[in-house]
């Protein structure tokens, strides 16, 4: 009479228990690796990506606003349209400064505060130029406001933010590389643990 496939007295009957036993150390190893290494790395990556996204976005928006400010001063034909765009985007720029501060403050509160302050001053400069143009001031006078309130504040804003963008680009790239290496290490460890588990279970089941 043929014995059932799950009969532990037959070689094939030992395959499933051995495989299941081999999975136990794999699961335990993956859980330990996730808890000790991967979880903290993912948390750090998420934080760094948030800072990078906020700092890169505010830099891009700053450049776009500066272009619109020049159009506002020198291009009378598009002034109304440009002004409407500025009315919408300058408050967004202020909100971005607050968002950047919130993203960076858990890591470096002093730098986060400095970034917010410098970018809020730049936003005030944008608003001053808009008010100057709409008040009917001459092009020369509005340009002078741009130099005194926008350019003068853009330099410290850029000097405080550009290093943050560069730093967090490097940090995100490094952490991503570390996670990739960790993935392959965990994969290799899983294969080794699986093999050891099967070998151990097979020896035990043969007794």
């Amino acid at each position: 009479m043929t014995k059932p496939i799950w009969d532990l007295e037959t070689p094939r009957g030992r395959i499933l228990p051995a495989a299941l036993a081999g999975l136990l150390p794999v699961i335990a190893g993956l859980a330990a690796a996730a808890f000790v290494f991967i979880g903290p790395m993912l948390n750090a990556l998420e934080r760094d990506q948030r800072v990078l996204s906020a700092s890169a976005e505010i830099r891009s928006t700053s450049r776009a606003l500066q272009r619109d400010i020049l159009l506002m001063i020198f291009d009378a034909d598009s002034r109304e349209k440009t002004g409407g765009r500025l009315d919408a985007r300058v408050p967004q720029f202020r909100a971005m400064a607050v968002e950047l501060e919130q993203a960076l403050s858990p890591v470096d509160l002093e730098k986060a505060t400095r970034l917010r302050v410098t970018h809020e001053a730049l936003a005030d400069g944008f608003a001053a130029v808009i008010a100057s143009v709409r008040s009917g001031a001459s092009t020369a006078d509005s340009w002078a406001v741009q130099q005194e309130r926008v350019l003068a504040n853009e330099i410290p804003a850029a000097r405080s933010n550009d290093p943050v963008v560069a730093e967090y680009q490097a940090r995100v790239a490094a952490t991503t590389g570390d996670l990739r290496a960790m993935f392959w290490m965990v994969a290799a460890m899983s294969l080794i643990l699986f093999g050891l588990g099967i070998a151990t279970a097979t020896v035990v089941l043969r007794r």
Side-chain angles (χ1 to χ4, degrees), residues 9-191:
E9 294 181 0
T10 63
R12 65 179 181 177
R14 301 188 188 105
I15 294 176
L16 182 59
L20 292 175
L23 285 173
L24 292 177
V26 174
I27 295 171
L30 289 175
F35 179 77
V36 177
F37 299 108
I38 299 177
M41 290 173 69
L42 287 173
N43 290 336
L45 180 61
E46 181 181 5
R47 182 186 63 243
D48 292 347
Q49 285 178 325
R50 185 185 175 200
V51 174
L52 176 58
S53 176
S55 59
E57 184 178 19
I58 201 168
R59 180 171 69 177
S60 174
T61 302
S62 172
R63 292 170 177 173
L65 287 172
Q66 290 176 64
R67 289 192 295 269
D68 280 347
I69 284 293
L70 294 179
L71 286 174
M72 187 79 175
I73 295 172
F74 295 108
D75 191 349
D77 293 337
S78 65
R79 187 167 290 158
E80 183 176 353
K81 181 179 179 181
T82 303
R85 189 163 59 242
L86 286 167
D87 288 340
R89 299 200 70 184
V90 170
Q92 293 174 355
F93 185 76
R94 294 184 188 277
M96 289 177 190
V98 174
E99 182 180 351
L100 177 56
E101 179 187 33
Q102 292 173 344
L104 188 58
S105 58
V107 180
D108 191 331
L109 180 59
E110 181 181 354
K111 185 182 294 183
T113 302
R114 182 168 65 252
L115 282 165
R116 177 185 56 78
V117 169
T118 55
H119 284 85
E120 284 183 344
L122 181 56
D124 291 340
F126 293 145
V129 173
I130 296 168
S132 175
V133 172
R134 285 176 172 166
S135 70
S138 67
T139 298
D141 287 343
S142 295
W143 174 247
V145 174
Q146 191 275 343
Q147 295 289 295
E148 294 170 3
R149 300 291 305 277
V150 174
L151 183 61
N153 286 310
E154 189 277 333
I155 293 173
R159 285 178 177 173
S160 61
N161 189 47
D162 287 350
V164 173
V165 175
E167 176 187 352
Y168 279 83
Q169 282 176 335
R171 290 175 65 156
V172 167
T175 305
T176 302
D178 290 343
L179 280 169
R180 190 178 295 113
M182 181 65 64
F183 169 79
W184 289 112
M185 186 178 74
V186 169
M189 182 180 69
S190 299
L191 290 175

